[in-house]
């Protein structure tokens, strides 16, 4: 919303955003590795084979396999096919409907707006999220 | 060509190919990536059974030699590629089925395939290969897990066609096995005292030069004997020799720890391959969504997108991945 809204409102068309590169940025690695955040992400890390050092948040964000998954996610999101999946993850309806339009900017805005809620709400939401995510992991 | 049977696209990566070969049930072989094809590159990899060349497919490229249509086809396993995305498997299977080396053990599945399809013509061989349930499921298990049901055609219009071809010596001649051709391409004889790698090197060099000039993505891999097996064999020979002599000679003293280190290195490499495969097959969607939620809560999501957009705008429209 604030600042360079003009350039951003170009929307999904035109220059393609490299979400994988964006999520591998140092500030994302720092934010995600902060203990409370790392704890929320930990259940979703890939399993490690015997003898290997398990991946943590940092190694995951920097791995090419994660980048590939993120790019797939990004393509799916901008193609407008992610709405139904998002609702499975218990995201607010505004985020779901913007995911349906394939507008990443609108989707991110909706996510930020919905997380304006109080801390109490936030922790409730993350509890919900755990419940929502669990079955997905077994796939 | 149709995409029937859902063969997925697999990555050109030595770990993926090595695991693919083991899933087929073949033993004694692995795949190594080659970063150059200069003299000496093969020294630590011998014996090299074949080369796999990956490149962006060019529509009108002429075959670089005569195509075999005679009775040699009865002896050379050559299969026409009849479905999309199977060329990685096709290239590897072709190399394996033509490989005649004591180190290489095809295993029941590939032996059966060879026995069953050698009397067929190249097209029927291709059909047989693509109908093999074991081979298809091994191939498909190598893929990046699809995060969710979604139609990639909508999103990835700029998908490029990559193609794999194999090079190998068969009965004294060098052949190129490309499933999109009508038969193997004959690159001529290999003299009895000549190393086939010296014959193939200039041919690959020429091809690489064309692709490099055109900024076309390519990749070269070698099908080699299982390195750990080779090192263990060498180690055993040294240990036996020491025992026979009842003393240790100096060469062996330095060679034994070196071999042990190389064996350990191979083990580490295989673990790394397994870890990469676990990542490839992991469903990262819950991680991504949780991460986006965290970034949203900390109001870091839109600034991140702004930055990414600036970067994208600087780069201009998405360029070809070269």
């Amino acid at each position: 919303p604030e600042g360079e809204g003009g350039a951003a409102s170009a929307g999904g068309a035109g220059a393609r955003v490299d979400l994988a590169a964006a999520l591998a940025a140092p500030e994302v690695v720092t934010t995600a590795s902060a203990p409370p955040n790392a704890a929320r992400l930990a259940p979703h890390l890939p399993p490690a084979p015997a003898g290997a050092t398990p991946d943590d948040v940092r190694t995951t964000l920097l791995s090419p396999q994660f980048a590939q998954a993120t790019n797939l996610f990004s393509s799916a999101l901008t193609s407008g096919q992610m709405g139904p999946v998002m609702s499975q993850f218990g995201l607010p309806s505004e985020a779901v409907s913007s995911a349906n339009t394939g507008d990443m900017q609108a989707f991110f805005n909706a996510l930020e707006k919905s997380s304006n809620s109080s801390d109490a709400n936030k922790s409730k939401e993350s509890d919900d999220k755990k419940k929502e995510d669990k079955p997905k992991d077994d796939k | 060509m149709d995409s029937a049977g859902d063969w997925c696209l697999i990555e050109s990566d030595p770990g993926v190919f090595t695991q693919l070969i083991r899933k087929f049930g073949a033993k004694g072989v692995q795949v190594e990536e080659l970063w150059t094809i200069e003299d000496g590159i093969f020294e630590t990899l011998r014996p090299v059974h074949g080369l796999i060349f990956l490149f962006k497919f060019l529509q009108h490229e002429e075959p670089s030699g005569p195509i075999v249509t005679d009775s040699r086809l009865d002896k050379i396993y050559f299969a026409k590629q009849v479905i999309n995305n199977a060329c990685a498997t096709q290239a590897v299977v072709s190399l394996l089925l033509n490989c005649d080396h004591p180190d290489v053990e095809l295993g029941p599945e590939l032996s059966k395939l060879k026995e069953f399809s050698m009397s067929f013509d190249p097209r029927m061989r291709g059909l047989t290969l693509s109908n093999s349930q074991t081979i298809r499921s091994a191939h498909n298990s190598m893929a990046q897990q699809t995060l969710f049901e979604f139609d990639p055609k909508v999103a990835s219009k700029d998908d490029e066609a990559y193609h794999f071809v194999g090079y190998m010596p068969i009965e004294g001649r060098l052949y190129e096995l490309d499933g999109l051709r009508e038969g193997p391409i004959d690159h001529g004889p290999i003299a009895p005292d000549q190393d086939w790698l010296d014959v193939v090197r200039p041919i690959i060099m020429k091809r690489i030069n064309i692709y490099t000039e055109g900024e076309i993505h390519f990749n070269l891999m070698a099908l080699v004997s299982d390195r750990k097996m080779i090192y263990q064999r060498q180690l055993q020979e040294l240990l036996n020799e020491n025992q026979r002599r009842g003393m240790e000679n100096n060469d062996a003293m330095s060679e034994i720890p070196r071999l042990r280190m190389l064996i350990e290195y191979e083990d580490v490499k295989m673990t790394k391959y397994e870890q990469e495969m676990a990542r490839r097959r992991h469903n990262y969607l819950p991680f991504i969504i949780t991460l986006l939620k965290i970034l949203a809560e900390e109001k870091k999501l839109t600034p991140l997108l702004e930055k990414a957009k600036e970067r994208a705008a600087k780069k201009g429209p998405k360029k070809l991945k070269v």
Side-chain angles (χ1 to χ4, degrees), chain B residues 186-209:
Chain B
D186 183 0
H187 283 289
I190 304 160
D193 55 349
Q194 202 176 16
D195 184 347
W196 82 273
L197 291 167
D198 290 333
V199 181
V200 76
R201 187 181 293 117
I203 293 166
I204 301 244
M205 284 283 252
K206 201 173 142 203
R207 203 158 186 177
I208 285 179
N209 286 339

Side-chain angles (χ1 to χ4, degrees), chain A residues 43-47 66 69 85 88-89 133-139, chain B residues 144-148 277-289:
Chain A
H44 311 304
L45 293 170
F66 175 75
V85 182
Q88 281 177 41
F89 277 91
D133 291 355
K134 272 278 136 57
K136 284 258 136 190
D137 281 349
D138 304 329
K139 271 201 171 175
Chain B
Q144 173 97 33
Q145 198 194 30
T146 37
L147 299 175
F148 29 77
M277 192 53 71
R279 287 178 188 157
R280 224 172 255 122
R281 299 190 51 73
H282 182 63
N283 179 2
Y284 281 106
L285 191 56
F287 185 98
I288 294 171
I289 304 271

Side-chain angles (χ1 to χ4, degrees), chain B residues 138-158:
Chain B
H139 176 105
N140 285 344
S141 72
M142 294 299 128
Q144 173 97 33
Q145 198 194 30
T146 37
L147 299 175
F148 29 77
E149 289 304 315
F150 116 93
D151 184 1
K153 277 184 211 102
V154 181
S156 53
K157 290 183 203 77
D158 55 1

Side-chain angles (χ1 to χ4, degrees), chain A residues 4 8 15-17 27-28 31-32 37 40-41 44-47 49 52-53 55 60-61 65-66 68-69 72-73 75-76 81-82 85-86 89 91 104-105 108-109 112 115-116 122 125 129 133 136 139, chain B residues 11 144-145 147-148 150-151 154-155 158 271 274-276 278-280 282-313:
Chain A
E4 311 87 23
R16 195 100 67 90
V17 166
E27 56 266 36
V28 176
T31 304
N37 294 337
R40 281 170 68 185
L41 290 165
H44 311 304
L45 293 170
T53 314
D55 281 331
T60 294
L61 289 172
Q65 293 82 13
F66 175 75
Q68 261 185 347
L72 190 60
F73 169 82
S75 311
Q81 294 178 71
M82 283 299 279
V85 182
M86 296 305 180
F89 277 91
L91 294 187
M104 197 190 286
Q105 172 94 45
F108 283 6
N109 284 342
E112 286 198 349
S115 63
N116 273 339
K122 203 196 284 180
E125 187 194 306
K129 172 197 62 64
D133 291 355
K136 284 258 136 190
K139 271 201 171 175
Chain B
E11 236 175 284
Q144 173 97 33
Q145 198 194 30
L147 299 175
F148 29 77
F150 116 93
D151 184 1
V154 181
D158 55 1
T271 308
E274 277 175 42
Q275 181 157 37
E276 284 169 354
R279 287 178 188 157
R280 224 172 255 122
H282 182 63
N283 179 2
Y284 281 106
L285 191 56
F287 185 98
I288 294 171
I289 304 271
T290 308
L291 178 64
L292 293 179
K293 280 183 184 170
I294 289 170
L295 293 169
E297 285 160 20
E298 304 201 3
K299 298 286 174 278
K300 285 175 178 158
L301 205 46
T302 18
L304 201 71
L305 188 62
E306 297 299 335
K307 253 199 209 165
K309 281 188 172 168
E310 275 169 39
R311 232 176 300 149

Side-chain angles (χ1 to χ4, degrees), chain B residues 108-271:
Chain B
E109 195 60 37
L110 291 180
S111 301
K112 211 166 65 189
L113 177 75
K114 186 173 182 178
E115 217 171 283
F116 186 66
S117 57
M118 277 314 276
S119 59
F120 297 160
D121 67 15
R123 207 188 130 71
M124 272 304 289
R125 285 182 195 163
L127 281 172
T128 309
L129 177 63
S130 61
N131 284 330
S132 162
Q133 186 58 46
T134 317
I135 289 183
R136 183 167 63 211
S137 60
H139 176 105
N140 285 344
S141 72
M142 294 299 128
Q144 173 97 33
Q145 198 194 30
T146 37
L147 299 175
F148 29 77
E149 289 304 315
F150 116 93
D151 184 1
K153 277 184 211 102
V154 181
S156 53
K157 290 183 203 77
D158 55 1
D159 233 3
E160 292 156 329
Y162 283 94
H163 187 53
F164 294 88
V165 301
Y167 288 89
M168 74 183 302
I170 303 168
E171 306 211 324
R173 298 184 78 83
L174 175 68
Y175 292 100
E176 178 181 331
L177 304 169
D178 175 348
L180 294 179
R181 303 288 182 196
E182 293 306 312
I185 297 172
D186 183 0
H187 283 289
I190 304 160
D193 55 349
Q194 202 176 16
D195 184 347
W196 82 273
L197 291 167
D198 290 333
V199 181
V200 76
R201 187 181 293 117
I203 293 166
I204 301 244
M205 284 283 252
K206 201 173 142 203
R207 203 158 186 177
I208 285 179
N209 286 339
I210 295 170
Y211 291 134
T212 311
E213 274 163 31
E215 295 195 343
I216 293 159
H217 196 143
F218 63 88
N219 186 281
L220 186 62
M221 288 181 285
L223 185 75
V224 302
S225 288
D226 184 323
R227 296 310 303 167
K228 186 178 170 181
M229 183 181 79
I230 299 271
Y231 298 138
Q232 276 173 333
R233 196 185 287 159
Q234 292 171 353
L235 180 65
Q236 200 52 51
E237 275 167 22
L238 283 178
L239 293 174
N240 289 348
E241 197 182 330
N242 276 348
Q243 214 170 25
R244 211 177 45 237
R245 292 187 185 185
M247 53 172 256
E248 299 193 341
N249 71 38
N250 280 336
D251 283 354
M253 288 295 274
S254 64
E255 188 61 3
I256 288 171
R258 193 185 74 92
L259 288 170
R260 290 207 163 114
M261 201 188 70
L262 288 169
I263 290 168
E264 197 180 315
Y265 174 73
E266 287 301 313
D267 284 337
V268 169
K269 191 162 74 184
M270 291 305 147
T271 308

